[in-house]
Amino acid sequence: MKQMASVPVAARQPAGDTLREIERRVLWLASSMIHEANRVRPNPSGLKVGGHQASSASIVSIMTALWFGHLRPQDRVSVKPHASPVLHAINYLLGELEESHLPTLRAFGGLQSYPSRTKDPDPVDYSTGSVGIGATAPIWGALARRYVDHAFGGAGTGRQYSLVGDAELDEGAVWEAILEPGVRELGEIVWIVDLNRQSLDRVIPDIAAERLRGMFAAAGWQVLTVKYGDLLEDLFGRPGGDALRERIDRMSNPEYQRLLRCGPGELRERLPGTGPGRERLASLITGLDDATLAAVIADLGGHDLAALDRAYSAIDDDRPTVVFAYTVKGYGLPTHGHPQNHSSLLTTAQMEELAAEVGADPAHPWTRFDPDSAAGLLCAETARRLRRPGVRAPKVPDPPHDFGRTPTGTATTQAALGRVLMDLTRSAPEIARRVVTVSPDVSSSTNLGGWVNKVGVWSARERPNWFADDSETILHWRERPTGQHIELGIAETNLVGLIGELGTTWSRWGEPLLPIGVLYDPFVQRAAEPWSFGIYAGGQSILVGTPSGVSLAPEGGAHQSITTPSLGIEQPGCVSYEPAFAIDVEWTLLASMARLGRPDGGSAYLRLSTRPVDQSLAGVPRDPAARERRRAQAVAGGYLLRRTESPAVTIAAMGAVVPEALIAADRLAGHGVDADVVCVTSPGLLMSAVRARQGHEEASSWILDRLFPAHRAAPLVTVLDGHPHTLAFLATINRVPTTSLGVTRFGQSGSIEDVYRHHGLDADAIVRAGLDLADG
């Protein structure tokens, strides 16, 4: 890459010498962390360490002006992923990070590559790194704060800032969140867009800033623009200044970026252009010295501390605000404005040049300001101003284990969800008060109607229920700040973003919530990545996917889910359940609630079905001790549903197809083949038990001895309404022959009998598999 002199920061119009000195030190520290990780720290493997000096540099001014001039302790900030070194640099200057951490960026156990609430040693309000998810998190954080404050008090106020790179606005998750109708009522939301007009690979030909501004405005946001710095604004007022403004406004992004790479002579030739104002513009810049001319062309508002200060002061807290701050990627570095500077690294010589320019010492890169200097005093005062009170230890209520009722008749696991919530309001109202359900416009079709009628719908303000006097209205939509159900539009990313933030309230304000998000299981995969990132960030929630699988039967086709059972196994920080019976839903849902809102807690995923099942097949023991034994096993991963004297084969079934397994066992017995039937409730927990037995995890393995005791080992048939590999690992427990049945093809519409036969999930298929194994 061609080496150019960096934009002379000191030549700019200052907005306070002290703040400018801090800005320069932040730039140096952020750049040095990345330099240390790549050029200084030993790297025996030779693998690229990486880091983003240019992306950090473009946002240094934005963050300096915010932290040292406007941020309050009650505010929270989501920092764009590639600017993590800037956040660490500021925290270091404020005394929130020890010097020993600065050389550890991207090292094992060190500062994370992207800001992390749970892994970084210094204060991080929001984890970022998954494009679009960290940016939108403060929207859901604002809603979660309001919910907690309405329900329990003590959450206070405060703005929720998102510092977003302009390329991140390409993500659909961003617009799904912005367009959610209730967001326009959250005036504490502030987005600051680092408009450097570059992505990873290129200068974006047409960033369409006007279109972006129009889209935010149409969504009800206040739109502020910080385009030019005070130096340029002053030149615009001089003779020929109008020609200069028109020239810069009209030029394409690539042409502008090319000018940033020009030396003074080339810049004087290129900048006037060929338009009618060329002569006046040339005359204007003739009077500028080389250093000032270089500063002028890079004098964008996102690097002008005074301009940023004015923009932040103009924020209207009655509606969400977006600030478009024009910046130069790599500002202040030799790589400024280069189209391939995204991951470029300064050489040691360039770092020494930067040190001379910003007043740093390369031999002692981590030097803080003298405590008695103006900059040192401002850092200390800012640290005092931003210091937050400690979060009180959450008072974690324990939900009941068992309501003591045994479901009868025919029921679905989906319907059982609503019944459990209603039972909770009667049996444990203090626990039910902390439950908040969220749905993307499917609350009634996922059997939450009774719950919604009971607890009401949450809204930032009370709204009239115009159908309250309509006798034919079954679902009563009472919207008020005390409601416990949040209805969103059809956007699964919004759903999991919200339950993730609702699941962090225990760590933010000491008030645990029990968030339950409900969506159609075929769309769980769409929501999986942002939900996973929410779990990574410390959000504890329950995701319910229903209805699921090909058991949808007549709907069939695209509305099916095949791989979601294995997602439940593979997601860290999450326990997955697929209950077969209503009582299993009760037990596993209550157990999942017990894991929420606590430092050692975690999330859960329940996969439910609309298939009606005879509840007597569950064979729930009447004896209290035996019932508790069954409950403990169901929560641990499964239970033996049918036991024979000496099994010739074992059938391990999960979820909606358990009735087929029981029918097959009866028929196999008629052929002289005795079959045990194991009802698997959580393949993930069984996998953890297997790995614990192998010494790979710290988990209990007792459940394996209950379900698959070695002295009763027999050939194994596994079956589920999902991909067969989900349960195939069970054969490794006792190393037995196995056949795994499940869904591997796109589905068909039809009766459940036809659909099960098509996919080989019916009793005939299980019997054939059992006979083959018994004969083998």
Side-chain angles (χ1 to χ4, degrees):
M1 181 178 291
K2 181 180 178 182
Q3 295 187 13
M4 299 287 296
S6 59
V7 176
V9 179
R12 295 182 32 76
Q13 180 73 18
D17 291 340
T18 301
L19 197 57
R20 183 66 66 198
E21 185 179 3
I22 292 173
E23 176 196 39
R24 291 197 295 266
R25 186 61 57 86
V26 170
L27 175 64
W28 166 257
L29 289 170
S31 302
S32 294
M33 284 182 231
I34 300 168
H35 180 74
E36 173 81 21
N38 287 274
R39 307 244 191 238
V40 180
R41 193 169 67 216
N43 182 11
S45 71
L47 293 175
K48 175 185 174 183
V49 176
H52 301 85
Q53 289 173 321
S55 294
S56 292
S58 69
I59 204 170
V60 164
S61 307
I62 290 171
M63 292 179 65
T64 301
L66 182 61
W67 258 260
F68 291 88
H70 291 266
L71 207 60
R72 303 165 300 173
Q74 64 267 36
D75 299 333
R76 284 179 165 80
V77 189
S78 170
V79 177
K80 74 173 189 176
H82 292 163
S84 63
V86 182
L87 177 61
H88 298 313
I90 291 175
N91 281 337
Y92 174 64
L93 292 178
L94 297 181
E96 298 283 1
L97 185 66
E98 295 296 326
E99 179 179 325
S100 59
H101 292 292
L102 298 185
T104 69
L105 180 69
R106 299 192 172 205
F108 183 78
L111 297 176
Q112 298 300 296
S113 52
Y114 309 125
S116 173
R117 272 193 84 221
T118 56
K119 293 185 178 181
D120 276 318
D122 52 333
V124 175
D125 292 331
Y126 290 99
S127 297
T128 58
S130 185
V131 180
I133 305 306
T136 57
I139 290 179
W140 315 121
L143 201 155
R145 184 203 62 76
R146 288 200 182 198
Y147 186 96
V148 167
D149 208 50
H150 285 144
F152 308 106
T157 58
R159 288 176 179 168
Q160 301 281 337
Y161 289 92
S162 288
L163 307 184
V164 186
D166 52 8
E168 197 163 10
L169 297 181
D170 291 344
E171 274 291 338
V174 166
W175 299 104
E176 288 184 359
I178 289 169
L179 294 176
E180 175 62 39
V183 170
R184 68 175 63 199
E185 298 180 348
L186 304 176
E188 60 267 46
I189 295 170
V190 180
W191 282 30
I192 305 171
V193 179
D194 175 8
L195 200 70
N196 59 49
R197 292 162 290 179
Q198 282 187 239
S199 60
L200 190 151
D201 291 326
R202 60 174 182 161
V203 177
I204 302 172
D206 182 9
I207 196 64
E210 288 298 329
R211 179 169 58 87
L212 291 173
R213 284 192 282 265
M215 292 168 71
F216 275 96
W221 290 49
Q222 177 192 25
V223 180
L224 303 174
T225 301
V226 190
K227 189 170 186 179
Y228 298 120
D230 287 350
L231 184 58
L232 259 178
E233 291 287 359
D234 176 67
L235 283 179
F236 291 156
R238 299 183 188 181
D242 57 336
L244 176 60
R245 180 191 288 272
E246 184 175 5
R247 169 76 171 121
I248 297 177
D249 279 345
R250 288 181 176 275
M251 71 173 58
S252 68
N253 292 330
E255 182 181 7
Y256 175 78
Q257 297 286 101
R258 182 64 185 88
L259 292 180
L260 294 173
R261 307 293 301 167
C262 293
E266 191 177 4
L267 187 57
R268 293 181 190 279
E269 179 181 342
R270 285 175 176 255
L271 180 56
T274 58
R278 171 183 170 80
E279 298 299 328
R280 291 186 298 122
L281 198 163
S283 177
L284 172 66
I285 65 176
T286 297
L288 304 179
D289 59 54
D290 288 349
T292 301
L293 180 60
V296 161
I297 196 58
D299 188 47
L300 297 181
H303 302 300
D304 189 300
L305 296 173
L308 289 166
D309 177 71
R310 291 191 294 270
Y312 297 162
S313 299
I315 292 171
D316 176 6
D317 287 326
D318 292 330
R319 52 181 170 156
T321 297
V322 60
V323 179
F324 285 97
Y326 282 71
T327 61
V328 175
K329 194 164 185 174
Y331 179 79
L333 304 179
T335 57
H336 71 277
H338 194 283
Q340 278 85 52
N341 67 6
H342 182 80
S343 298
S344 64
L345 298 169
L346 300 189
T347 65
T348 299
Q350 288 173 325
M351 285 294 294
E352 291 173 351
E353 293 171 8
L354 178 64
E357 186 174 331
V358 301
D361 181 358
H364 302 91
W366 316 124
T367 303
R368 283 192 174 102
F369 293 113
D370 184 329
D372 295 325
S373 67
L377 292 171
L378 180 55
C379 288
E381 188 279 326
T382 301
R384 286 192 295 270
R385 172 169 53 83
L386 295 181
R387 191 159 293 127
R388 295 172 181 164
V391 178
R392 59 183 179 274
K395 299 176 181 178
V396 183
D398 292 320
H401 293 159
D402 186 346
F403 293 135
R405 180 174 54 82
T406 301
T408 58
T410 299
T412 72
T413 54
Q414 175 179 288
L417 170 68
R419 292 196 186 102
V420 172
L421 293 177
M422 292 300 292
D423 284 345
L424 196 66
T425 64
R426 292 185 286 267
S427 300
E430 72 284 0
I431 305 298
R433 182 169 173 258
R434 294 186 177 271
V435 173
V436 51
T437 55
V438 185
S439 164
D441 199 36
V442 293
S443 55
S444 58
S445 57
T446 53
N447 286 91
L448 290 182
W451 164 260
V452 172
N453 284 343
K454 176 76 173 179
V455 302
V457 178
W458 186 88
S459 176
R461 57 185 176 86
E462 189 158 355
R463 302 175 186 273
N465 178 12
W466 295 107
F467 290 87
D469 58 351
D470 187 334
S471 60
E472 296 183 4
T473 298
I474 299 176
L475 184 61
H476 302 294
W477 210 254
R478 298 190 302 273
E479 298 180 77
R480 55 197 177 189
T482 57
Q484 290 180 242
H485 173 76
I486 301 176
E487 190 81 0
L488 300 175
I490 307 174
E492 289 77 17
T493 298
N494 289 351
L495 168 82
V496 294
L498 177 53
I499 63 173
E501 287 305 316
L502 290 168
T504 66
T505 59
W506 65 274
S507 61
R508 294 194 190 279
W509 301 288
E511 289 289 353
L513 295 176
L514 309 178
I516 303 174
V518 180
L519 76 166
Y520 292 164
D521 198 68
F523 306 140
V524 164
Q525 286 177 274
R526 189 182 301 176
E529 191 270 335
W531 188 50
S532 173
F533 198 80
I535 294 173
Y536 167 81
Q540 299 173 3
S541 61
I542 298 173
L543 186 65
V544 178
T546 181
S548 64
V550 299
S551 294
L552 280 163
E555 286 196 50
H559 273 66
Q560 64 176 15
S561 49
I562 296 175
T563 63
T564 48
S566 62
L567 288 177
I569 297 178
E570 297 156 9
Q571 175 58 53
C574 169
V575 172
S576 65
Y577 290 108
E578 185 165 345
F581 302 103
I583 191 65
D584 297 343
V585 175
E586 176 185 314
W587 290 336
T588 57
L589 182 60
L590 292 174
S592 298
M593 288 182 182
R595 300 179 70 240
L596 300 178
R598 59 191 71 217
D600 60 345
S603 297
Y605 161 51
L606 270 67
R607 187 176 190 251
L608 306 182
S609 172
T610 50
R611 186 190 181 185
V613 173
D614 179 2
Q615 297 302 299
S616 68
L617 297 176
V620 180
R622 293 184 178 181
D623 178 78
R627 179 187 177 102
E628 171 56 23
R629 183 172 182 270
R630 165 72 70 86
R631 186 204 67 82
Q633 290 180 358
V635 169
Y639 52 88
L640 190 60
L641 184 57
R642 179 170 298 184
R643 188 180 191 275
T644 61
E645 186 67 27
S646 180
V649 67
T650 298
I651 304 171
M654 185 168 74
V657 298
V658 166
E660 274 63 39
L662 292 171
I663 293 171
D666 288 339
R667 289 173 53 186
L668 284 169
H671 291 283
V673 178
D674 288 341
D676 282 355
V677 177
V678 173
C679 180
V680 175
T681 55
S682 175
L685 288 176
L686 297 185
M687 171 62 84
S688 291
V690 169
R691 287 178 53 77
R693 180 174 284 182
Q694 296 169 344
H696 301 310
E697 289 188 21
E698 291 186 8
S700 176
S701 63
W702 65 267
I703 190 63
L704 302 180
D705 295 325
R706 302 297 188 275
L707 303 188
F708 306 101
H711 69 278
R712 293 176 59 83
L716 180 67
V717 178
T718 66
V719 58
L720 77 153
D721 184 356
H723 199 282
H725 77 80
T726 306
L727 299 180
F729 75 93
L730 296 176
T732 67
I733 296 171
N734 291 316
R735 300 181 182 180
V736 296
T738 184
T739 293
S740 297
L741 306 179
V743 181
T744 59
R745 295 174 288 170
F746 288 117
Q748 300 285 333
S749 294
S751 69
I752 200 164
E753 295 80 11
D754 290 337
V755 170
Y756 277 11
R757 188 178 305 112
H758 173 73
H759 290 285
L761 304 178
D762 60 337
D764 285 350
I766 301 173
V767 168
R768 285 194 298 269
L771 291 173
D772 288 344
L773 288 173
D775 291 342

